[in-house]
Amino acid sequence: MSGAVDLSALKQPAVSAAEVPGDHAVTEANFEERVLRRSTQVPVVVALYSQRSPGSIELVKLLEKLVGQGNGDWDLATVEAEANMRIAQAFGVQGIPTVVAVAAGQPLADFTGNQPEEQVTGWIAAVVDAVRGKLPGVGAGEADAEPEAPEDPRFVAAETALENGDFEGAITAYQAILTAEPTNAEAKAALRQVQFLSRVQELDPAATAKADADPADLDAALAAADLDMFNQQPEAAFDRLIAQVKRTAGDDRTRARTHLLELFELFDPAEPIVVAARRKLAAALY
């Protein structure tokens, strides 16, 4: 579910909303404040349940216990799905209970069905670890937290250029860091992202339709894959390029494969969609 759900429609409060008792209860009326805004500080675990489902109520009680034992690194929002159908529809709920972690206003991870406490605790720990250092409220309650290191002015300059829409300036700044520190992983990752964003700005929005109409047009396929990625459809981008690897040979196959590997580098190598796509690529090559 990560990155695939548009929650923006829920910023407008519903005309009326059924109230659900509980300290962590959230309805359509307060979703923006309690989930979207709160998730810019710490991840918010949204538990969608039903009063008619004893198993989902048990899970809600477990989550209420766990959030009370936490250090403030995450928050809980419990949503009675039948009384708040717009929220359930926005998350694409297929079963009850459904639990979704929201960070910075976007879904990060989810699971469906009642789970044992050990598994839920591990899932929450993974969510918190994924946003540590990215959301200001995570780790704020740790007494032994180390003082925050001063920002590297080189990265500040690169990020400022990017915020101003100066892609070339940002690319130059990150490349300067790598010239001085060739193994700087943060600069490498940032440079890949900025180079991708810069490339996407120049693409023709009609490239996708052109590629779909003519599968033999490799240039259109490469552009369409970038647009798929920019539109948060990485699997579609990967599949498009793997199809090109299958149907081409020689230099064209090398171009398709190289482009695909560049898109892989935008992700953690252990990301499941990348692992699956690498298997498909291997099958296409051999």
Side-chain angles (χ1 to χ4, degrees):
M1 183 178 293
S2 175
V5 179
D6 181 9
L7 304 180
S8 60
L10 296 172
K11 289 185 177 182
Q12 296 297 327
V15 175
S16 62
E19 292 296 328
V20 181
D23 293 340
H24 300 285
V26 167
T27 66
E28 294 173 18
N30 63 359
F31 184 88
E32 179 179 4
E33 176 186 359
R34 295 287 298 276
V35 177
L36 297 183
R37 292 182 184 174
R38 178 61 173 152
S39 72
T40 64
Q41 299 297 311
V42 296
V44 178
V45 173
V46 181
L48 295 110
Y49 71 100
S50 169
Q51 295 284 5
R52 297 188 295 173
S53 168
S56 69
I57 293 174
E58 287 180 8
L59 181 59
V60 166
K61 290 180 179 178
L62 171 61
L63 290 168
E64 288 176 336
K65 181 186 79 169
L66 294 177
V67 75
Q69 295 173 349
N71 294 320
D73 285 341
W74 62 285
D75 207 347
L76 175 65
T78 59
V79 178
E80 215 290 328
E82 292 172 333
N84 299 276
M85 290 302 297
R86 289 178 67 234
I87 298 178
Q89 289 169 359
F91 282 114
V93 170
Q94 299 294 317
I96 294 295
T98 290
V99 178
V100 185
V102 177
Q106 295 294 323
L108 177 65
D110 65 280
F111 68 83
T112 301
N114 207 351
Q115 305 291 336
E117 180 172 348
E118 181 179 355
Q119 188 166 335
V120 174
T121 301
W123 182 84
I124 292 172
V127 167
V128 171
D129 285 343
V131 299
R132 192 177 302 279
K134 300 175 184 177
L135 296 181
V138 178
E142 297 176 3
D144 57 349
E146 296 181 4
E148 185 176 347
E151 290 188 274
D152 187 326
R154 302 172 302 171
F155 282 92
V156 172
E159 290 161 5
T160 300
L162 183 58
E163 289 171 2
N164 292 332
D166 182 5
F167 292 102
E168 288 303 318
I171 289 171
T172 299
Y174 284 125
Q175 285 176 333
I177 296 172
L178 288 171
T179 298
E181 302 175 27
T183 60
N184 191 308
E186 183 179 356
K188 282 183 180 180
L191 179 60
R192 293 188 193 111
Q193 293 284 346
V194 176
Q195 288 174 327
F196 171 75
L197 291 173
S198 177
R199 187 170 75 215
V200 170
Q201 308 307 309
E202 307 297 325
L203 294 179
D204 180 358
T208 300
K210 186 176 181 182
D212 291 341
D214 184 5
D217 189 335
L218 178 58
D219 288 331
L222 299 181
D226 280 352
L227 289 173
D228 289 336
M229 186 66 66
F230 184 71
N231 291 322
Q232 300 186 32
Q233 298 176 313
E235 290 178 275
F238 296 160
D239 287 345
R240 189 184 296 277
L241 293 179
I242 290 168
Q244 289 296 319
V245 170
K246 288 180 179 179
R247 62 166 298 279
T248 55
D251 291 343
D252 284 349
R253 171 178 270 202
T254 298
R255 286 183 64 202
R257 177 177 175 275
T258 299
H259 202 93
L260 177 59
L261 295 178
E262 289 175 356
L263 295 186
F264 285 165
E265 290 180 343
L266 298 175
F267 296 84
D268 184 320
E271 189 79 25
I273 57 172
V274 175
V275 174
R278 285 189 179 277
R279 291 198 189 102
K280 292 180 182 178
L281 174 61
L285 288 170
Y286 304 106

